[in-house]
Structures are given as C-alpha cells and as structure tokens.
Amino acid sequence: MYPTVKQLEAFLSTARLGSFSAASESLHTTQSAVSKRIAELEAALSAELFERSQKRPALTTKGRALLPLAAQVVDLLARIGEEMLDPDPFAGRLRIGVTEISALTWLRRFIEHAREHYPRLTIDPEVNSSRTLLEQFDDNALDIVVVPKIDRWPSGYCNIVVGTLSTAWVASPQRFGSKRRIEPGELADYPLLLQAESSVTARVHEVWLREHGVSARLATRTNSLPVLGQLTIAGLGVSVLPTEFFREEIAQGLLAVFETEDALPQIEYHAIYRSERGEPVLKIAALIESMCVFHRASD
C-alpha cells in the first residue's frame, strides 16, 4: 500500500513543528487523526518514523531519510493542483511546428512578442518538413503548425491564412549573364537546383515545370534553403528562391531574377489548429498572422 497525501502531510507537520498537537492545529484536524495517519504511514512503509519514548516526538533514522522525499511529493502535488486550477489559459507550453523558412524569418519575432504578451507561456518550436509536421500534429505531438497550403486539410482541423511566400527563378549573373527574361521551356537548357522532394513548395514548382514541358528528374536537390541559395550564387544552376528572403543578395547583384511569361504561383502559408483548443490557440494564430513576413530574422 502506498502512502497517502494526508499521511505525508501529517508526518511533515509533526516533524517540522515538533508535536502532534501543533501538527493537528496546522492541518485543522484532531491530534488523534494526526497520530492515526502517522501510524498508518509507518505501517505502509514497515518502518518506525518517530521515537515516542521522549516528551517530544523525534525522527528516527528512517524518518530523517523520508523527510526530504515526503516534502518533494507534497510540494509536487501542490504544484499540480496550482497548474490545473490556474485560470490563465496562456500558462504552460505551446508546441508549434514550422518549416525552415519560418524558422529563419518570423519565428524569432513571434517568440519575442509571445513572451511579452503571455509571460507564463513557453514556446517549444519544432522545425521540420510540412509532411512530418502534419504527421506530428495528427499524433497530438504539436498544438499548432504553420505549413504551406495543401490540396485538402484533414477533417476536424481549423486553418487560417497567415502569410504568402513569393518565389521566382533566379541565377548567378556572373555565371549565366545579365539576361532578365526567360521562356519557361528554356529552363530545360539549364541545370536546375530545387528543394528536396519532401517540400510542399518544391512539389508546387515541379507541377509548374511539368506544365511547361520541363523535367526536374535531374535537378540537384537540398533540404536547406540557405544552402540552395549558396549553390545558386556559386553558379551551379538556376533555382526557385523566395525573393523576400534573398532580397539582399538580389540587391547586391549576387542573384538575378528571371521574368517568365507565366509567373510562379504564390505559396499560401496556413496556421493549422484544432477547434477544441479554444480561444487561446486562435489568438496565437492571429499573432502568427501579424508576424508572418518572410524577411530575414535580422531585418
């Protein structure tokens, strides 16, 4: 049989106050009730906790060993009660899943503002591919995810548009010259640099390529956006990059943007959450919407 909370409280009060009568007053009960609880605790642990031969109860060796452990248990149970009864809906942890570009841009500002507005809320970010984030969300491992729009959201999920990502075909002007306009079909003549196949945005761009008769089968791929940018600047191929994220490199002439007759589609980003999470998660989604701009975090 395990000790009960009341037994441990009786033991702690008696040990700290030095008498059964003082403990009973502290616990708002009778002295006989305190004595009974301690006797039950000793029976449960098969150990004598107090020397009763003296005028005042003194802890035995076993009692001294139990004292810090009992204090930890009672304190922990008190904390559990405080957390469960806490009326603040923005206390605790929020598990948010984002893709790499969000982590590199607006996520830092979002965490700063969340701490300012909700100081008792801790943000735990998870950075991964859209597919993995949605799987984790489906398994209740995440409270809210921010991912590119997919064809159909699973039933029961709520979503709001929080931002739009603009992309364009870009290349190194030192490697491919100063040409600023290109026909979509001409991309077949260039080595292509694309994001990994697990990326939703990469799949959108591949559909665009297929519609214009260009195969992405031989494209060089990476799951890192900064690496993709560096490979493009080095002249290793033509790639699709988010123009806001790489605006400094474009302004410096390290990257040149190709205009195409049929522009690439913009990528909508959505915050996905469950309706049963209530108003707090809806306010968090609104805060994300106000923060979600795909500039560098240092901008």
Side-chain angles (χ1 to χ4, degrees), residues 73-98:
V73 171
V74 172
D75 289 345
L76 183 58
L77 289 172
R79 284 178 54 194
I80 291 174
E82 290 171 2
E83 290 294 331
M84 294 301 101
L85 296 174
D86 193 341
D88 185 358
F90 293 97
R93 292 187 176 275
L94 177 78
R95 303 163 300 173
I96 178 173
V98 297

Side-chain angles (χ1 to χ4, degrees), residues 242-294:
T243 51
E244 282 298 317
F245 185 83
F246 286 98
R247 62 182 180 180
E248 288 187 10
E249 289 82 355
I250 293 171
Q252 294 168 6
L254 298 174
L255 292 171
V257 176
F258 287 138
E259 294 180 9
T260 57
E261 183 177 351
D262 186 9
L264 287 167
Q266 292 189 326
I267 310 295
E268 280 187 356
Y269 273 72
H270 290 235
I272 313 301
Y273 58 94
R274 292 180 176 83
S275 58
E276 60 266 26
R277 299 291 183 181
E279 185 179 1
V281 75
L282 185 59
K283 288 187 175 181
I284 291 296
L287 180 59
I288 292 172
E289 182 182 9
S290 69
M291 297 284 105
C292 187
V293 181
F294 296 108

Side-chain angles (χ1 to χ4, degrees), residues 150-217:
I150 60 176
D151 293 336
R152 184 174 62 86
W153 302 115
S155 61
Y157 293 175
C158 297
N159 70 91
I160 63 169
V161 179
V162 293
T164 303
L165 181 70
S166 297
T167 59
W169 290 102
V170 298
S172 165
Q174 286 73 29
R175 173 67 174 81
F176 294 97
S178 58
K179 186 175 182 179
R180 292 295 182 271
R181 186 169 181 81
I182 189 171
E183 295 300 322
E186 292 181 68
L187 289 167
D189 300 328
Y190 295 90
L192 298 180
L193 305 173
L194 298 175
Q195 288 183 274
E197 292 179 336
S198 59
S199 165
V200 171
T201 56
R203 293 200 293 272
V204 171
H205 298 143
E206 287 177 42
V207 169
W208 186 93
L209 285 168
R210 285 197 301 272
E211 290 174 348
H212 294 90
V214 179
S215 171
R217 185 172 60 87

Side-chain angles (χ1 to χ4, degrees), residues 39-235:
E40 291 172 343
L41 178 61
E42 290 177 322
L45 299 176
S46 300
E48 189 174 338
L49 303 175
F50 289 101
E51 291 282 358
R52 293 175 173 80
S53 59
Q54 303 179 33
K55 185 176 180 180
R56 296 171 64 86
L59 288 170
T60 63
T61 301
K62 291 288 187 180
R64 287 193 295 272
L66 177 63
L67 189 62
L69 300 176
Q72 289 179 34
V73 171
V74 172
D75 289 345
L76 183 58
L77 289 172
R79 284 178 54 194
I80 291 174
E82 290 171 2
E83 290 294 331
M84 294 301 101
L85 296 174
D86 193 341
D88 185 358
F90 293 97
R93 292 187 176 275
L94 177 78
R95 303 163 300 173
I96 178 173
V98 297
T99 57
E100 182 188 39
I101 191 165
S102 293
L104 294 171
T105 53
W106 57 265
L107 181 63
R108 186 200 70 189
R109 297 190 296 273
F110 163 73
I111 293 176
E112 290 172 347
H113 279 70
R115 286 179 176 176
E116 180 181 348
H117 289 85
Y118 312 115
R120 299 187 64 195
L121 184 68
T122 299
I123 308 293
D124 289 338
E126 168 74 16
V127 182
N128 221 313
S129 68
S130 300
R131 181 186 305 171
T132 300
L133 293 175
L134 287 171
E135 289 174 354
Q136 291 176 319
F137 181 77
D138 195 49
D139 290 337
N140 279 315
L142 295 171
D143 301 306
I144 187 168
V145 296
V146 181
V147 292
K149 180 182 179 181
I150 60 176
D151 293 336
R152 184 174 62 86
W153 302 115
S155 61
Y157 293 175
C158 297
N159 70 91
I160 63 169
V161 179
V162 293
T164 303
L165 181 70
S166 297
T167 59
W169 290 102
V170 298
S172 165
Q174 286 73 29
R175 173 67 174 81
F176 294 97
S178 58
K179 186 175 182 179
R180 292 295 182 271
R181 186 169 181 81
I182 189 171
E183 295 300 322
E186 292 181 68
L187 289 167
D189 300 328
Y190 295 90
L192 298 180
L193 305 173
L194 298 175
Q195 288 183 274
E197 292 179 336
S198 59
S199 165
V200 171
T201 56
R203 293 200 293 272
V204 171
H205 298 143
E206 287 177 42
V207 169
W208 186 93
L209 285 168
R210 285 197 301 272
E211 290 174 348
H212 294 90
V214 179
S215 171
R217 185 172 60 87
L218 298 179
T220 296
R221 297 179 181 274
T222 176
N223 62 357
S224 169
L225 187 61
V227 169
L228 187 62
Q230 290 301 313
L231 295 177
T232 309
I233 291 171

